[in-house]
Amino acid sequence: MIDYRVRSVSLLNLVNDVKKGRLIPDAYFQRNLVWRELHNKDFIKTILLGYPFPQIFISKGKIDVASMSTISCIVDGQQRTNAIIKFIDNQYEVDGRYYNNLTEEEKSNFLKYEVAVIELDLENDDPKVQEIFQRINRTSNSLSIIEKMASEYSTAEYMLVAKLLANEIELDFDSTQEDLREDPNIPKDFFVWAKKQKVSKFQSLMTEKGIFTSRDIARKVHLMHILNMMSTVITDFFNRNEKTTSLLNDYGIDFYDKDEIIARFEKTAETVLKLKLKQKSIWYNKSNSFSLIVGIAKLDDKIDDLDLEKLKANLESFEQNIPGDFKLASTEGVNNKKEREVRNSYVTLLLEDSK
């Protein structure tokens, strides 16, 4: 039985605790911020009208006996807390008015609003905190499959390698302090290894070429994409995420091929970037980028055999006259094994003709 207590805190105290570092809103198990401005506005309007909203869960944290203080952590309520702080900082308006435009009485009522809080008597690095976060979100649609997977497998080395490629891991966090940007249960030697890896070109390809929108990245869609590309290169084509789940379990502790995978994907990204394809190229949509990257990565040490000028010409020529079955496999059922194999068959021919 976990001890907890239900209490209420003023919105003012909640915001001050976050701004002064006494309450961490974005701990390692949290999702990225995905609320759009319309969600923020609707939520703030709820407060301005004086209506209640669901309770916020907080882990109590450990006591620092030297400073006689604690650092707590938001377990559930990050999006709401962020919306409140951004409104107070005048980053958006609600019904045509920013926070600064509210009357003194309206500001006072807003800051005095009582927030329902469930305070868990747990230290922030207790595994139960992450489990509670998962359970709170398990029965709702608030977390996507990859967000749940990233939380459940947060310390699996296979997931950590994918997060490094996706630029989804903090390498400069301070493990000696109450820095909870990353799971304290991740082995320290992983960070030592990760800091030595060259991944900048792959990260650039994933985040700067329009393959994924900013919302996709916020919801970790690119992370799922990378996990499935890794799994396909290691094994073969499969339906949706089925092989990825098994590999996350198989390589939960040690992913022995991580150096090879990192080097191969970085070399693949360097090759794709050198092609200098136009921004609106079909090869920069999700399904086709998957096929092109996997196809090149599967060449392994034969990547250098590619004539890049010829490959670019072949890809652009293909784009001018796309076969019907390829087009269908790029737009419908794109994550099915059959559709992935159809796209791969064409990509393989293009690559073979470019050596």
Side-chain angles (χ1 to χ4, degrees), residues 22-267:
R22 294 191 294 260
L23 179 61
I24 300 172
D26 55 350
Y28 59 93
F29 52 82
Q30 283 286 358
R31 66 196 301 187
N32 293 332
L33 294 169
V34 298
W35 272 15
R36 295 178 177 176
E37 194 165 287
L38 64 92
H39 299 130
N40 291 333
K41 290 182 177 183
D42 191 55
F43 173 67
I44 294 300
K45 194 166 183 178
T46 297
I47 299 175
L48 292 171
L49 291 170
Y51 297 161
F53 62 80
Q55 66 268 18
I56 288 175
F57 284 72
I58 291 174
S59 58
K60 197 172 182 179
K62 64 180 68 175
I63 297 175
D64 185 329
V65 293
S67 63
M68 293 187 292
S69 64
T70 61
I71 295 179
S72 301
C73 194
I74 292 179
V75 178
D76 187 66
Q78 178 200 27
Q79 309 282 344
R80 285 167 283 169
T81 305
N82 178 67
I84 292 168
I85 291 174
K86 287 177 70 175
F87 180 63
I88 290 176
D89 288 344
N90 295 294
Q91 293 187 35
Y92 62 90
E93 48 78 24
V94 176
D95 288 342
R97 294 197 300 167
Y98 289 88
Y99 176 77
N100 272 352
N101 301 133
L102 300 180
T103 67
E104 291 302 310
E105 182 180 1
E106 286 172 326
K107 287 180 182 177
S108 177
N109 290 336
F110 185 77
L111 295 173
K112 288 192 296 185
Y113 181 96
E114 291 291 313
V115 180
V117 170
I118 293 182
E119 188 176 68
L120 307 166
D121 191 13
L122 292 171
E123 294 187 357
N124 299 321
D125 57 359
D126 191 313
K128 293 189 187 72
V129 171
Q130 192 164 355
E131 183 180 350
I132 290 169
F133 169 77
Q134 293 167 5
R135 287 185 175 276
I136 289 171
N137 291 282
R138 187 168 293 167
T139 57
S140 70
N141 294 320
S142 58
L143 291 184
S144 66
I145 292 172
I146 182 54
E147 287 170 326
K148 293 175 183 177
M149 195 179 284
S151 177
E152 182 178 355
Y153 292 98
S154 63
T155 61
E157 192 162 73
Y158 196 69
M159 175 65 79
L160 293 172
V161 171
K163 289 181 71 176
L164 177 63
L165 287 168
N167 199 20
E168 281 282 315
I169 191 165
E170 293 281 353
L171 296 179
D172 60 346
F173 86 111
D174 189 350
S175 61
T176 64
Q177 303 295 324
E178 191 78 0
D179 186 342
L180 293 167
R181 288 175 293 167
E182 289 299 338
D183 191 329
N185 298 303
I186 297 173
K188 301 298 182 288
D189 57 0
F190 176 81
F191 292 98
V192 174
W193 171 83
K195 288 178 181 178
K196 298 176 182 177
Q197 304 310 305
K198 295 179 179 179
V199 291
S200 60
K201 289 182 174 61
F202 190 83
Q203 291 177 348
S204 173
L205 179 60
M206 289 293 98
T207 60
E208 297 173 13
K209 292 300 176 181
I211 298 173
F212 303 97
T213 65
S214 57
R215 182 166 174 78
D216 285 337
I217 292 172
R219 300 220 64 162
K220 303 184 190 295
V221 173
H222 66 315
L223 177 59
M224 188 78 257
H225 201 74
I226 292 167
L227 279 165
N228 284 332
M229 287 193 293
M230 286 169 52
S231 302
T232 304
V233 169
I234 291 169
T235 60
D236 209 341
F237 295 97
F238 51 87
N239 283 314
R240 302 196 69 81
N241 312 319
E242 59 185 17
K243 290 279 181 68
T244 291
T245 303
S246 62
L247 289 175
L248 281 166
N249 287 308
D250 292 345
Y251 298 131
I253 298 175
D254 292 309
F255 177 32
Y256 298 107
D257 296 328
K258 60 181 180 289
D259 291 276
E260 180 190 345
I261 283 292
I262 289 288
R264 198 187 298 194
F265 274 74
E266 183 71 354
K267 181 68 174 177

